Amino acid sequence: MGSLAGSAGTVEVEPMPGYIEFITRSTVVMLDAWRDCSSCGLELSKRTFLDNAYITWTEIALFFFCAYLWTKVRRGLTESLFKPLGEWCRLLPKDAAKMPESGWKLVFYTMSWSYSTYLLFFTSYSYFHDPPSVFYDWKSGMSVPTDIAIAYLIQGSFYGHSIYATIYMDAWRKDSAVMVVHHIITLALISFSYAFRYHNIGILVLFLHDINDIQLEFTKLNVYLKSRGGGYYLLNDVLSNLGSVSFSITWFWFRLYWFPLKVMYATCVSSLQSVPHIPFYFFFNALLFALLLMNIYWFLFIVMFVVKLLKVKEVNDVREYEDEDSRKEPSAENSTDDAGHHNSAQGKHVQNGITKEKHL
């Protein structure tokens, strides 16, 4: 076992499990918990919710205000910064239409992931290195540290905005319905984990997911910039290729390796060790499993893209409808290939070869 030095001395850190241990132990623990829950049902859920959910009307009002504010900020930046920047860079018309959304999301996710990184690696929180510690000293209705509460307000309100943006501001694609479901599940996780004071694990979930969005939008912007003015710019081509490679690697490493083995092992196994009758154990783990399944779903898009890239020089986004370009002209806010999670910079039209999820 590793160890962490704390105020009370050296604390033993449980080593991260492998996939087999995660699957077997989680299955055994969850089945035992289900058998022991003889009184589970709607009445118990209602009573547990009323006894353990803590959220104020002020916090709810702040959520809606900030969600509205994100929408206004996005539109303001699009008109005052991203559109003029696209014109100044002499982007091709199709790329200029897509650039504002990528620019906006790159700004937000860089900010949000940087803050999560600060909380996990530059403060006293040891949740990344010792995931089971997220449930140490947990108490119903415990206070939420201000720095974590700020992160929750930023992320929760952004996903509230993102539900609206996916439906009304972004182009509709094959996986847009899954994207909306993802945003709803993420918002539910953020809201309920805050209300039930599972905020420590929530910060870890956000950290593991936001990094891919930074790489995705960075890659797409370089794809647009490499052919600006009708020319060819090697630096942007190289950067887009590097971004594509790093995106694919970190998607697997952060979302399909660290997420299940750090976060879900802690919520499925360690949570009951620290808090034997932890509220809404099955509900939260069901949401996390749904999030994992969506991560796997989008990873299949990445695999499909890589296979196509090996076969042909020019590929289209496998999430796009084949006749999308002929059905409608892209606009600055409605034309973007952001909804999927593929990245590439091979060939003149490779910007359509990026597939993306969207943001825990």
Side-chain angles (χ1 to χ4, degrees):
M1 284 191 176
S3 63
L4 288 176
S7 59
T10 301
V11 179
E12 293 295 328
V13 177
E14 183 178 352
M16 190 175 70
Y19 285 112
I20 295 178
E21 183 181 358
F22 162 66
I23 294 172
T24 55
R25 290 200 63 184
S26 297
T27 302
V28 170
V29 170
M30 295 188 79
L31 288 176
D32 288 343
W34 181 260
R35 285 192 291 264
D36 293 340
C37 192
S38 57
S39 59
C40 288
L42 184 60
E43 186 60 33
L44 177 62
S45 298
K46 179 180 178 181
R47 187 167 64 250
T48 302
F49 180 86
L50 295 175
D51 291 343
N52 294 280
Y54 293 86
I55 192 166
T56 66
W57 286 108
T58 300
E59 291 167 331
I60 295 174
L62 278 173
F63 161 78
F64 282 106
F65 172 75
C66 290
Y68 171 77
L69 191 62
W70 287 128
T71 305
K72 299 297 289 185
V73 169
R74 172 176 172 173
R75 284 175 173 157
L77 287 177
T78 295
E79 295 300 325
S80 63
L81 177 61
F82 298 130
K83 280 186 176 180
L85 184 61
E87 294 174 359
W88 182 78
C89 292
R90 297 183 298 121
L91 295 181
L92 299 178
K94 186 177 181 180
D95 295 338
K98 299 173 182 179
M99 181 267 195
E101 184 177 347
S102 291
W104 157 247
K105 292 180 178 179
L106 178 63
V107 169
F108 175 82
Y109 284 114
T110 300
M111 174 192 69
S112 63
W113 188 75
S114 297
Y115 188 56
S116 298
T117 302
Y118 162 75
L119 291 176
L120 290 174
F121 296 97
F122 298 95
T123 65
S124 60
Y125 303 127
S126 60
Y127 308 137
F128 180 82
H129 301 291
D130 185 21
S133 67
V134 299
F135 296 107
Y136 295 168
D137 301 320
W138 178 90
K139 293 182 180 62
S140 178
M142 62 190 292
S143 61
V144 180
T146 302
D147 50 5
I148 292 181
I150 291 173
Y152 260 73
L153 178 61
I154 292 172
Q155 293 274 4
S157 60
F158 180 79
Y159 277 101
H161 150 78
S162 295
I163 294 173
Y164 170 84
T166 301
I167 298 174
Y168 296 106
M169 301 175 72
D170 301 341
W172 193 260
R173 294 173 176 80
K174 293 178 181 179
D175 69 340
S176 291
V178 178
M179 188 73 66
V180 173
V181 172
H182 166 269
H183 293 338
I184 292 173
I185 290 177
T186 303
L187 182 57
L189 277 169
I190 292 174
S191 303
F192 283 98
S193 65
Y194 181 86
F196 285 90
R197 300 310 189 242
Y198 301 145
H199 45 273
N200 295 337
I201 195 70
I203 291 298
L204 189 53
V205 173
L206 294 170
F207 166 77
L208 293 176
H209 283 74
D210 283 352
I211 186 174
N212 296 119
D213 297 287
I214 298 173
Q215 296 167 320
L216 173 70
E217 305 307 336
F218 173 82
T219 300
K220 289 163 62 178
L221 287 174
N222 277 283
V223 168
Y224 305 152
L225 290 170
K226 75 174 184 178
S227 57
R228 60 187 184 274
Y232 170 76
Y233 294 84
L234 177 62
L235 176 61
N236 296 114
D237 196 8
V238 172
L239 289 175
S240 63
N241 278 290
L242 291 176
S244 178
V245 172
S246 65
F247 171 81
S248 303
I249 294 173
T250 56
W251 183 280
F252 176 83
W253 197 261
F254 280 68
R255 298 190 180 210
L256 301 182
Y257 181 66
W258 274 341
F259 176 61
L261 301 186
K262 282 183 175 287
V263 171
M264 298 188 65
Y265 184 82
T267 59
C268 292
V269 178
S270 305
S271 60
L272 290 178
Q273 295 173 343
S274 299
V275 188
H277 300 288
I278 192 166
F280 283 94
Y281 170 82
F282 293 105
F283 173 75
F284 282 108
N285 279 299
L287 291 180
L288 290 173
F289 270 108
L291 189 58
L292 177 62
L293 289 176
M294 283 187 285
N295 287 339
I296 296 172
Y297 168 80
W298 275 303
F299 187 69
L300 294 178
F301 274 112
I302 298 175
V303 173
M304 290 168 58
F305 167 73
V306 171
V307 171
K308 277 194 171 185
L309 187 61
L310 294 174
K311 292 181 177 180
V312 296
K313 294 181 179 180
E314 295 183 345
V315 298
N316 291 320
D317 190 335
V318 294
R319 304 164 304 104
E320 299 285 2
Y321 294 103
E322 293 181 359
D323 61 341
E324 181 176 9
D325 290 338
S326 62
R327 288 189 298 110
K328 62 181 180 180
E329 290 294 326
S331 65
E333 281 299 317
N334 291 332
S335 217
T336 176
D337 54 355
D338 175 65
H341 279 78
H342 288 69
N343 288 280
S344 171
Q346 301 283 336
K348 181 178 179 181
H349 301 294
V350 74
Q351 62 265 37
N352 291 329
I354 301 175
T355 299
K356 158 179 172 96
E357 167 253 39
K358 193 33 260 116
H359 50 139
L360 194 45

